[in-house]
Amino acid sequence: MGFQKSSFILAFLHIWSINWNVWAKVNMRVEEMVEVYLGDSAELHCQYSFSDSETPTFTMVQWFVKTSSGSSRERIYYGDSNTQIVDDGTVYSGRINVTVTEEEDHRGVLLTLHDVQLSDEREFFCQVNGMAAGNGEGKTHLRVFAPPEAPVIEGVNTGISVTTELLSMVASCEARNGFPKPNITWYRDATPLVQTPGQVNILILVTRESNDFYMVQSKLQYKISKEDKDSHFSCEVSYFVPGAVRTSESKGINITVHYPTTAVELWKESPRGEVKEGDTVELRCQGDGNPPPPFTFNREQEPDVELEGNVDVLVLTEVTRSDSGVYQCRTLDFDTDSYSEVTGDMLLTVHYLDPAVVVPKDSEIMFKGESLTATCNALSSLETTTVWFKDGQQVGRGNTLVLQDATYDTAGEYVCEVTVPSLPALRTTSSVHIIVQGAPQVTDADTEVEMEVAAGKLVNLSCQVKGHPLPTISWNIAGSQSWHEVVRNANEHTAFSAVSIKVLSDISASCNATNDMGTEIKSFSVRAIPTITSTAPYLPAEGSGVIIVIVILCILLLAILGSVLYFLHKKGKIPCGRSGKQEITKEIAKDDIVVEMKTDKKTEETVLLKGVNGDKKSPSDQYEGLQK
């Protein structure tokens, strides 16, 4: 095999030297550039045709690659239509396959390179020798691509002051393991940053690592302003891939910007809405500088008296109306050369509602038919609303309550409630107690109560009376001695009494109410209705069981009574006749026995006794049988 290969090479070189002068007679078609990802397979096409109409009987095709130094070539393959040989001892040995095509219009050789490495990015040459038909060569540039890792951005940890005159380091960005060399672009809020003297400076460091990958590092130097406190900086890496350019963006970072305080604001943090006496008030102060400066608090009326605050908060506990006024917070701007003082202020108003005052005060006595005007007032820093209540029901609105033509229903406690609509938590109440004085007034005294009740039943009569002083109640009842009072109670203006009467006949009763102002009477008339006894109708279906029970009880009573009589007679307690003398005449006819008993008064008693089992017995035996 080695001899054949050497003979083939010598023959090819001889033919090549003979036909060098007809090089241009071969038409070559190769791709100028082939692009492939790292690790993929690359296909290098080499197609050729001859200018002469006659096709040569022998054609030699060889593939060469430029060495890494670029100064020479190295053959990696040669062959013809019958033999294809991959050169040994090269970096491509074992990684290439060759496919030969033989067609009339064109011929070709396909070189497939497997597991492409970064070092494979170089020029490949295809040479064709057709002896007398001519020679030709084509060149293909193989490009290899490896996308880099996602960019990593890192911002500075310390704050950057806007008062610094020089450019400040803002962030660094790094892209690793890319091929060919990637590029880095900086962005501020999606706007690309370019080199600008005095404003933007971008430093780039490119490193070719031992594994042929590129690492690109970039640092951004920037002139910071106060507006950058809300800005986001990011970097973007762009890299080539087969047939395109792609990008990968880092996360955005926000940097800490230090800038002086130019304005201070003071506001009420709590409570929400209006402030009333007794509240705890929290005032908060904030400046537009960073970092926040220290604050001091005071009242405008007392600028030299410093109030004790906690950093940026002033707390006022259980405020009163005297705490109303203008409050200030102040700070010194140390980031400027002038050390100017910046102040913020606000007006705090503490609202109040004094206790309500009612006139007349406490209690007032009125006579029936009189009129009274009561007033209620409460001093407040806000507009108020006044409502009057009696027994939980609204009876008036406004500062004045007019009571006309007083009755006993007018008496009671009147509550005045004063509220602040804009601040419902402010509320105060006061009251006046109205007493109506007059003679007793019995409920429905003008109407006599008439009723009918069955005789023997109980009837309840009640009497309710109003008056002041509180009336006393007494009862006059004619027609029954069986009655008693069952209920008696009273309050300030009303007395109540109830009696229970057993109706035996017609009754006339009166309730007498009396106080120092007079007396009033209420009458009652009760008509007794006789009780009528009626015979209950016979109900066979329902009463048959009761009748049976009664019959059984009667039989049992008779049996008991007979036993008692028999026992007494046996003991001799009951004589046979009134005179103790008896005459017995015995007469037997067939099976019947007749006993005749006579007394001195000629009272005769005849008893017919029938023999048992037809036995005939003497009169004495029959008598003894009766005793038994």
Side-chain angles (χ1 to χ4, degrees), residues 316-330:
L316 305 174
T317 58
E318 297 184 353
V319 295
T320 64
R321 66 194 72 182
S322 62
D323 292 318
S324 298
V326 177
Y327 286 79
Q328 295 179 332
C329 71
R330 296 177 294 176

Side-chain angles (χ1 to χ4, degrees), residues 49 62 69 105 136 170 175 181 183-184 189 191 201 203 252 384 404 483 533 596 611 614:
S49 60
Q62 297 182 93
S69 63
D105 55 345
V170 173
K181 178 182 72 68
N183 295 314
I184 292 179
D189 294 333
T191 301
N201 184 38
L203 303 177
T384 61
Q404 295 179 338
W483 67 275
T533 304
E596 181 177 330

